[in-house]
Amino acid sequence: MVNIKVKKLDAAAQVPRYAHVGEFGDLAADVYASAGVTLARAGQAGSTQAVPTGIAMEFPATHGALVEDRSGLAVRGVTTLAGVIDPGYRGELKVVMTNLGAAPVEIKPGDRIAQLRIVARIEAAFEEVAELGEAARGASGFGSTGK
């Protein structure tokens, strides 16, 4: 288990938590809004906003996090953007949310707005080469299966 320190920056803030724990528990912890915002309908100013959570976190150097959608909001057209938290970041976690739906969406303080997936940090070495090895998929990309 990884220990992540959480500092409340707002008295109304909530520490992230898993709704289900144990052998078949949740993959990600719920993250909560600390202030209310209204996401305007798609295409209008205010349809994308950084929603405050009122918390800051200290990850060990070996871990970070990804901010993911909540399915209940996603089915209403509300999705998250720009969701990477590096281990060295100590500022407030704000969840960038956008409304793709036709109606405004109200976010209230205390609402679950996203999920926080803890990930191991792996630093890669990028090597420039003239050619890449062959693979069955080759250069086929998005939609390459024809479905």
Side-chain angles (χ1 to χ4, degrees):
M1 182 174 295
V2 175
N3 187 42
I4 299 165
K5 297 175 183 176
V6 179
K7 178 181 178 181
K8 285 187 176 184
L9 305 173
D10 181 320
Q14 296 186 48
V15 173
R17 61 183 174 272
Y18 296 95
H20 303 97
V21 296
E23 184 179 3
F24 294 102
D26 294 337
L27 185 62
D30 291 325
V31 176
Y32 302 83
S34 64
V37 301
T38 299
L39 300 172
R41 65 184 171 94
Q44 290 190 327
S47 63
T48 300
Q49 295 186 48
V51 181
T53 64
I55 61 170
M57 293 180 283
E58 181 181 331
F59 290 89
T62 57
H63 288 77
L66 301 175
V67 178
E68 309 272 356
D69 289 348
R70 289 192 37 77
S71 57
L73 286 172
V75 77
R76 294 170 44 201
V78 178
T79 188
T80 60
L81 305 169
V84 175
I85 305 170
D86 295 314
Y89 179 66
R90 298 291 187 270
E92 180 179 10
L93 169 60
K94 293 183 180 183
V95 178
V96 180
M97 303 183 79
T98 192
N99 180 10
L100 302 173
V105 174
E106 184 180 359
I107 304 291
K108 299 176 187 155
D111 281 356
R112 294 179 295 169
I113 57 170
Q115 298 183 80
L116 193 65
R117 184 181 345 179
I118 308 306
V119 294
R121 182 184 159 279
I122 301 171
E123 190 168 318
F126 296 94
E127 175 186 356
E128 183 178 350
V129 298
E131 297 294 328
L132 299 176
E134 293 296 320
R137 185 172 179 173
S140 298
F142 185 78
S144 64
T145 61
K147 295 181 182 181

